[in-house]
Every structure is written in structure tokens, then in C-alpha cells.
């Protein structure tokens, strides 16, 4: 199998985040209102019809994460030894191999090429890689299951 780092995929940001969060912190994102403004090469037409949706999925780049600290194996979530050692793909840590984050947000309004959303856990200046409407048919049809440590970790996240 070929190493993807030998053949990188080049992505360009399609938008950038503006909000009050400037430090990489893990909790209290629930009330954060963010503006997502499209990059100059995109125009308002790219957002036509988006007002019909209540939620959006935002894919973004963890641009402040240290690439020298990328995790490719297992760690304790938030470096908490009380929680089990789990692989990077069994948690949502910033220091992932491709530094990609994903969050479903509440869509509030659109003004031209700017979207206003609530609950985006991305710092001010974060590059946005994609914006997708949330369709209920893409949400899980089965009950969502997760370990107890994940519920503890998320207790103050939103």
C-alpha cells in the first residue's frame, strides 16, 4: 500500500472563520457564533438555496495544530491517563494525520457570501475546506453508541 504522504492531495480553503475564539481550547463552544466568509474566488451563487437548511456540516483544517505533534498511533484522549489508550481514529483529536476537523453547526443566516453559524468549534482564522448541508437521510438511522470516557470528555464541550 502506498503512503499518501508521498502523494499529497492539495486543497485550497473555500472560506475562513471569524469569531471570538483565538486560542486552541477544547470546551465551551456551544454559544459561539461564527461567520464563515467565502474566499474571493467564490461568489454568492455558491450559497444559493442554503437558507433552506437548518444545519450545515463544516470541514476545516486545524491550521494551528503543530504538524510535528501529529498522532498516528494511540494516546489517552486529552492526555488524561484516567481515560483509555485509544487510536487516533477512535477520537476527534486535533493532531490527526491530515489535520481535518468536521462539525455539524446550526445555520443562523446568510448575508451575501458570509454564513452565520452557531456551535462551530474552530478558532478565528480557521480555513474552511468544505460546507455541506445536513440531510437527515445522512444521519445515523441506528442508535449512536459511544464509550463512557467520550461522554465525560464532551461534558463541557458545548
Amino acid at each position: 500500500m502506498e503512503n499518501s504522504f508521498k502523494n499529497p492531495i492539495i486543497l485550497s480553503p473555500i472560506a475562513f472563520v471569524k469569531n471570538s475564539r483565538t486560542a486552541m481550547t477544547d470546551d465551551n463552544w456551544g454559544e459561539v457564533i461564527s461567520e464563515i466568509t467565502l474566499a474571493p474566488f467564490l461568489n454568492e451563487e455558491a450559497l444559493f438555496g442554503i437558507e433552506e437548511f437548518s444545519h450545515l456540516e463544516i470541514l476545516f483544517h486545524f491550521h494551528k495544530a503543530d504538524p510535528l505533534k501529529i498522532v498516528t498511533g494511540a494516546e489517552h484522549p486529552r492526555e488524561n491517563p484516567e481515560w483509555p489508550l485509544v487510536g487516533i481514529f477512535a477520537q476527534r483529536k486535533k493532531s490527526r494525520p491530515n489535520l481535518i476537523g468536521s462539525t455539524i453547526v446550526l445555520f443562523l443566516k446568510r448575508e451575501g457570501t458570509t454564513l452565520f453559524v452557531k456551535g462551530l468549534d474552530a478558532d478565528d482564522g480557521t480555513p474552511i475546506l468544505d460546507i455541506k448541508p445536513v440531510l437527515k437521510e445522512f444521519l445515523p438511522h441506528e442508535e449512536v453508541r459511544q464509550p463512557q470516557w467520550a461522554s465525560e470528555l464532551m461534558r463541557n464541550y458545548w
Side-chain angles (χ1 to χ4, degrees), residues 62-149:
F62 287 122
H63 69 297
K64 292 181 180 177
D66 184 345
L68 299 176
K69 294 182 178 176
I70 286 176
V71 177
T72 58
E75 282 191 354
H76 297 281
R78 291 196 188 174
E79 293 73 46
N80 183 342
E82 305 260 326
W83 293 331
L85 189 65
V86 294
I88 189 61
F89 301 124
Q91 55 182 298
R92 296 182 64 99
K93 187 181 231 33
K94 296 174 197 71
S95 301
R96 347 183 34 75
N98 282 318
L99 302 175
I100 295 174
S102 172
T103 303
I104 293 176
V105 300
L106 178 63
F107 173 60
L108 301 174
K109 66 178 180 174
R110 175 174 74 89
E111 291 180 1
T113 59
T114 299
L115 303 174
F116 292 80
V117 301
K118 183 176 179 182
L120 177 60
D121 54 344
D123 294 334
D124 185 63
T126 296
I128 301 299
L129 302 174
D130 204 356
I131 300 167
K132 298 174 182 265
V134 173
L135 306 176
K136 60 183 174 181
E137 290 81 3
F138 276 96
L139 297 174
H141 298 273
E142 304 78 21
E143 181 180 345
V144 174
R145 176 177 46 90
Q146 67 186 36
Q148 181 59 35
W149 67 261

Side-chain angles (χ1 to χ4, degrees), residues 15-33:
F16 291 89
V17 174
K18 180 179 177 187
N19 65 26
S20 61
R21 299 287 293 259
T22 57
M24 286 194 330
T25 57
D26 287 321
D27 290 322
N28 304 309
W29 289 99
E31 298 303 313
V32 174
I33 305 296

Side-chain angles (χ1 to χ4, degrees), residues 35-50:
E35 298 176 24
I36 299 173
T37 301
L38 293 182
F41 70 89
L42 293 167
N43 64 42
E44 189 175 359
E45 287 184 15
L47 299 174
F48 282 3
I50 205 161

